[in-house]
Amino acid sequence: MSRVMNFSAGPSMLPEAVLKRAADEMLDYNGSGQSVMEMSHRSKTYQAIIDECSALLREVMNIPDNYEVLFLQGGASTQFAMLPLNLATKSKSADFVLTGQWAKKAFSECKKLANAREVASSADKTFTYIPELDPATFDKNADYFHICMNNTIYGTKYVELPDTGDVPLVADVSSCILSEPIDVSKFGVLYAGAQKNMGPAGLTVVIIRKDLIGEPKDGTPTMLTYKTHAENGSMYNTPPTYAIYICKLVLEWIKNDIGGLEKMKAVNTEKANLLYDYLDSSKMFKGTVEKKYRSLMNIPFVTGNEELDAKFVKEAAAAGFVNLKGHRTVGGMRASIYNAMPIEGVKALVAFMKDFEAKNA
Ligand SMILES: *Cc1c(COP(=O)(O)O)cnc(C)c1O
């Protein structure tokens, strides 16, 4: 068996230890005589799994007691609608910073349901930076203020959070959750599709301050109401049972094998620096993002020559470095190096890039 080095932006790599454990437990989970996939979500055995997943997430992320953890479905994209439906109920207006495609999608979805206001944008330079934000331009009565914390496609991340005062700060953390510590108390809502850093696709995690779980806009479907899920322990209907189980294993891996989020950040910083240092020294490859806003997770780079980019992507794939083609709106390459990408994978990629540069100079 040989496994590739997978630089996909998502779904992405999972820790090998997690996959092996899942394989070991596939036919008979903990003496239950069945796979987690096959068991009733109402069983005691499954209840223990979801409870443990929630408790571990609270512990690893240091989530305060006045926050609810919800395990939902529909991806981060469904949150683009659930947020306005549930939160935009007073002034019926929300502020948005447009830092890429996901931020723009959250903005346009809100527009269908409430007043969505653009506070700032980095579209002028193809989203290669995070705009400076002036709190004087924020709507003091907004029901929430939305940011996309790590921009998966463009490879930028916030280095400083906007000061939104009493307006709840809401962040899409799909591609950076669990990559480093986050001060949850600074946010009203954090949400993430699981398929980048938490587990398989199909699970969406929402961390929401309890006082924000109120009555939704009139006509909001039951399943799109936070209250429904909060009041039913994420079990109003069948939750994505297997994805939650894998997420639990990933959290155990972060806690026990890595040693928590400070350690995770140190590993991720070391990995990202290996690649950024090489990009800064290379005559062929260069990073596309303003240095200050460089993401730890998604690293886009180009040669400046489309044919050479294509040659690189093709030869890299043949050598076992897969999914390095950049997003169609940026071109070039993108290496997504989420938590599960081992440092050896990044070292091997840099060695391959050096070799490619020498041969094609
Ligand atoms: C992947 C991603 C999304 C989309 O997530 P889905 O779960 O596919 O809806 C949204 N925002 C960010 C930042 C992402 O990286």
Side-chain angles (χ1 to χ4, degrees), residues 9-11 74-80 101-103 105 148-153 172-176 191-196 201-204 298 334 338:
S77 302
T78 297
Q79 293 311 306
F80 300 163
Q101 296 231 350
W102 298 118
K105 284 189 172 165
C148 181
M149 192 108 112
N150 182 80
N151 295 278
T152 322
I153 294 171
D172 179 350
V173 289
S174 295
S175 53
C176 60
Y191 66 95
Q195 66 275 20
K196 278 88 185 217
L203 168 64
T204 310
N298 312 97
R334 170 178 50 171
Y338 296 114

Side-chain angles (χ1 to χ4, degrees), residues 148-296:
C148 181
M149 192 108 112
N150 182 80
N151 295 278
T152 322
I153 294 171
Y154 300 94
T156 59
K157 75 158 188 171
Y158 280 77
V159 286
E160 204 181 340
L161 292 176
D163 179 3
T164 61
D166 290 335
V167 175
L169 180 60
V170 171
D172 179 350
V173 289
S174 295
S175 53
C176 60
I177 191 166
L178 301 177
S179 66
E180 58 179 320
I182 300 182
D183 183 352
V184 176
S185 71
K186 294 236 166 15
F187 297 86
V189 183
L190 290 166
Y191 66 95
Q195 66 275 20
K196 278 88 185 217
N197 247 347
M198 309 190 89
L203 168 64
T204 310
V205 172
V206 174
I207 302 165
I208 179 168
R209 220 173 61 207
K210 285 180 178 166
D211 62 285
L212 296 173
I213 306 173
E215 290 303 324
K217 181 182 160 80
D218 277 351
T220 300
T222 311
M223 279 295 287
L224 297 183
T225 301
Y226 287 132
K227 210 170 157 214
T228 305
H229 301 287
E231 284 177 348
N232 291 282
S234 301
M235 291 263 211
Y236 172 76
N237 70 328
T238 318
T241 51
Y242 198 75
I244 291 168
Y245 156 72
I246 298 289
C247 181
K248 176 183 99 85
L249 297 185
V250 168
L251 289 162
E252 284 171 355
W253 174 78
I254 292 175
K255 184 185 164 188
N256 303 324
D257 297 26
I258 301 293
L261 290 187
E262 285 293 351
K263 295 265 175 59
M264 195 76 250
K265 179 184 186 179
V267 174
N268 285 331
T269 304
E270 193 184 348
K271 275 153 52 183
N273 284 344
L274 275 173
L275 189 46
Y276 283 127
D277 287 349
Y278 169 62
L279 290 173
D280 290 343
S281 71
S282 168
K283 291 200 168 57
M284 176 178 282
F285 298 104
K286 61 174 200 306
T288 55
V289 166
E290 254 183 56
K291 282 187 186 172
K292 182 178 172 189
Y293 303 109
R294 282 173 162 177
S295 165
L296 284 180

